[in-house]
Amino acid sequence: MSLFVFNSLNLPSTRIPRQWPPEATHEHSIFGQKVLWCPVSRSGSHFAGEELEPYRHVGDFHLDDLLGRLHREGVPLTAGGDLLELIHKVEQGYYDSQLSDKLRTDLISFLAKYKTVPRWVNVQQLERGRQVFLMYAPAMGASLYYRSLVPGFSIPQLAAVVQSTGYLAPPASQEQVSNRLMDTGAMVSACMVGSIESLFDGGDGWKAALHVRVLHAKVRRRLMQRQGSERWDVALLGVPINQEDMAATLLAFSINTLYGVEFIAGVQLSRQDQLDYLALWRYIGWLLGVPTATDDDERTTGGLRPLDPCGPGWNVSKVDKGDPVFHSRSVLESIIAHLMKPNESSVVVARHLLAIGRTKLDNKNDSKGERKRLAWFYFRCFQCRRFIGDPLADALRLPLHPSWWKRWLLFAASTLYLWLLRLYTLATMYVPPIQWRIQQYHANMSFRFYDTWKDSHPTRMAKALRQDSVGETNRASCCPFA
């Protein structure tokens, strides 16, 4: 490992071994990343596009069904509505005269399922996974932004959702994009801060994950109800926020973030750290509506076998217990190969995300402030390029600074930033006396961020709801308050 080499397309974990069984695998290239493709049909974990396509037509069966029935029975979950609070009122008998016995029973059963910790969950392993996040939080935060969120939301099918809702894309302002990314950070923080109890019945992380799941269902319902020129093209795009999309998002927060930490540190995390972190996100994904292989209700995936992207894989037996690390990498590679075909909407979303917190870039005012804002934009584009590699960055048309000598300055600034972050991450890995202090420091900072967000979020939400009621925010409020 060289302290100054940062090559996202040549990570230690992704290098193809010199000897591999050619009868079962073949070498594949995905945006410059060499992949040893092992089809699931041959005891591997890679899926062909035609095997993944059916998952694009399955949303979140149980929750979609409940929201539809609530609407039909005259108690729709309106903008800003809280399903958890509604179910709590159902338990107390508030809706006995308005809702059918069957719907009240199904609502209570739905929540009861997620109040119970599944048998496949190892609570101690979840706690270790939480500690992995807290230990490497700075590297994971940078990875989430540059390696997961920007390219992930640029997948054309996902970009269609964010553009149709004005979420993280025009017409949402850059301040709104910043706020919504903070909302995402708050959900992650809610799952990670405090104790592991936060992820169980009544905890902040548990509530946050279920609120996000309900939000996705409301957006899915709203988009599917559009008519005329805005009608959602199911044949082309699949159901909005479908099982493949949700699997991709879960992998972006889990295995792809581990790739990002490896890119920053130059070495892999230990195998146990990787397994623990994937187990944590497998459970969070289950709360978010991504079923696991243990789910015996075929309706959850329309009769399809659950992808279980952070699970042990499909070819599990009494002898072979499976490999969650290999399976998650393979599913991520399969989804990228299937969906990542950048188009114009991909370019728009990627640039909008990289301009986060800055004023519009079409302002021609040649002031010092504007030049500085443009420099930040070019810096972020260059950072993203280093995290994802030139082939994908070129496909997303991430611009380089037009001045060649400023490109060198940005390269130097980028390398210094990555080098300092690498030293910090390696110290966290290999210097035991400071590990606990660093973990506590990251935990305290995450808690402060989450506490600040909790104070400001209700005010922002109330303001957006008021604006939406008088039509002041156009489509931009659709997704957060669907």
Side-chain angles (χ1 to χ4, degrees):
M1 178 192 72
S2 171
L3 280 177
F4 294 97
V5 174
F6 298 93
N7 185 351
S8 61
L9 300 180
N10 189 31
L11 301 177
S13 64
T14 62
R15 292 170 188 161
I16 296 178
R18 294 181 179 179
Q19 295 182 342
W20 46 275
E23 68 279 0
T25 60
H26 66 274
E27 188 175 310
H28 197 56
S29 181
I30 306 174
F31 290 103
Q33 177 65 66
K34 293 182 179 179
V35 173
L36 191 59
W37 196 269
C38 307
V40 70
S41 58
R42 295 190 177 184
S43 300
S45 285
H46 286 94
F47 295 86
E50 56 270 21
E51 292 172 316
L52 289 173
E53 191 62 30
Y55 293 90
R56 301 205 57 74
H57 297 273
V58 180
D60 186 345
F61 172 80
H62 291 293
L63 192 50
D64 293 342
D65 177 62
L66 290 174
L67 293 189
R69 290 161 66 190
L70 281 169
H71 181 81
R72 290 192 295 273
E73 296 194 19
V75 188
L77 199 62
T78 56
D82 186 338
L83 183 66
L84 302 187
E85 182 179 340
L86 186 148
I87 296 176
H88 180 62
K89 288 183 177 180
V90 168
E91 291 173 329
Q92 295 178 326
Y94 277 77
Y95 292 97
D96 285 359
S97 62
Q98 295 174 268
L99 300 177
S100 65
D101 292 344
K102 182 68 167 66
L103 179 52
R104 293 201 309 273
T105 300
D106 288 348
L107 285 166
I108 294 171
S109 297
F110 172 81
L111 194 57
K113 175 180 179 179
Y114 296 98
K115 287 183 176 181
T116 305
V117 180
R119 287 179 296 177
W120 49 266
V121 169
N122 181 327
V123 176
Q124 288 73 30
Q125 187 175 35
L126 298 193
E127 172 60 22
R128 293 197 303 269
R130 191 180 72 89
Q131 291 174 2
V132 170
F133 175 85
L134 293 175
M135 190 73 73
Y136 304 108
M140 287 191 170
S143 301
L144 272 172
Y145 178 58
Y146 287 116
R147 189 178 173 95
S148 293
L149 291 178
V150 174
F153 279 120
S154 299
I155 291 174
Q157 291 85 340
L158 292 178
V161 174
V162 299
Q163 287 193 309
S164 294
T165 61
Y167 180 73
L168 295 177
S173 70
Q174 290 160 8
E175 180 183 0
Q176 288 174 318
V177 171
S178 179
N179 287 336
R180 289 165 189 173
L181 290 181
M182 285 182 64
D183 293 343
T184 300
M187 190 278 287
V188 175
S189 295
C191 294
M192 303 301 175
V193 300
S195 70
I196 196 61
E197 296 302 319
S198 172
L199 282 170
F200 303 134
D201 181 17
D204 280 5
W206 181 84
K207 290 179 181 177
L210 289 175
H211 281 314
V212 169
R213 180 176 180 177
V214 173
L215 167 64
H216 288 168
K218 290 162 77 176
V219 171
R220 188 183 304 113
R221 178 176 174 80
R222 189 159 176 172
L223 290 180
M224 290 292 287
Q225 289 178 330
R226 286 186 173 177
Q227 299 296 325
S229 61
E230 292 191 338
R231 184 183 181 90
W232 185 261
D233 191 341
V234 177
L236 178 65
L237 301 170
V239 172
I241 316 179
N242 54 65
Q243 283 297 316
E244 186 180 21
D245 293 342
M246 289 190 278
T249 302
L250 189 62
L251 292 168
F253 280 86
S254 55
I255 192 65
N256 203 41
T257 302
L258 293 178
Y259 276 140
V261 175
E262 183 180 349
F263 163 73
I264 289 169
V267 295
Q268 298 183 67
L269 295 182
S270 70
R271 178 167 176 79
Q272 189 61 55
D273 281 351
Q274 294 181 62
L275 290 171
D276 294 341
Y277 194 64
L278 288 173
L280 173 66
W281 279 101
R282 187 189 190 200
Y283 172 71
I284 296 173
W286 176 73
L287 292 176
L288 290 168
V290 181
T292 69
T294 61
D295 197 322
D296 57 2
D297 188 342
E298 292 186 350
R299 294 177 300 170
T300 57
T301 53
L304 300 170
R305 187 175 179 179
L307 287 174
D308 197 2
C310 294
W314 278 19
N315 296 293
V316 177
S317 65
K318 292 182 179 179
V319 178
D320 183 2
K321 300 301 182 183
D323 183 350
V325 176
F326 175 70
H327 178 64
S328 60
R329 289 174 177 172
S330 299
V331 177
L332 177 63
E333 290 161 353
S334 302
I335 292 174
I336 292 174
H338 181 217
L339 299 181
M340 185 58 86
K341 299 174 176 63
N343 57 16
E344 286 300 320
S345 65
S346 306
V347 175
V348 170
V349 171
R351 292 192 177 195
H352 202 65
L353 285 170
L354 289 167
I356 173 179
R358 309 295 168 187
T359 58
K360 292 183 179 179
L361 297 175
D362 57 358
N363 186 346
K364 301 303 182 180
N365 182 9
D366 193 30
S367 67
K368 181 179 179 180
E370 184 60 22
R371 291 197 302 271
K372 186 176 181 179
R373 285 186 285 271
L374 281 170
W376 270 110
F377 172 70
Y378 283 121
F379 175 78
R380 291 184 179 197
C381 287
F382 188 72
Q383 286 289 77
C384 188
R385 180 175 288 273
R386 299 189 81 171
F387 270 87
I388 65 177
D390 284 333
L392 180 53
D394 289 341
L396 294 173
R397 302 211 298 271
L398 299 186
L400 294 167
H401 200 288
S403 170
W404 68 267
W405 67 270
K406 288 186 177 179
R407 290 187 195 179
W408 280 105
L409 286 178
L410 290 175
F411 174 82
S414 167
T415 301
L416 178 62
Y417 168 86
L418 292 173
W419 179 67
L420 291 174
L421 189 53
R422 172 169 287 181
L423 290 179
Y424 183 81
T425 305
L426 290 174
T428 305
M429 286 183 180
Y430 298 120
V431 185
I434 68 171
Q435 287 178 342
W436 183 84
R437 291 184 180 275
I438 286 178
Q439 184 176 336
Q440 287 301 113
Y441 172 72
H442 294 164
N444 290 337
M445 294 299 292
S446 296
F447 179 81
R448 288 173 60 185
F449 165 77
Y450 179 59
D451 208 37
T452 300
W453 177 86
K454 281 201 300 183
D455 289 340
S456 64
H457 182 65
T459 302
R460 289 193 290 110
M461 191 168 184
K463 178 181 177 182
L465 285 169
R466 287 195 303 270
Q467 291 175 333
D468 192 55
S469 67
V470 296
E472 292 181 11
T473 57
N474 196 8
R475 294 182 301 158
S477 65
C478 173
C479 188
F481 316 109

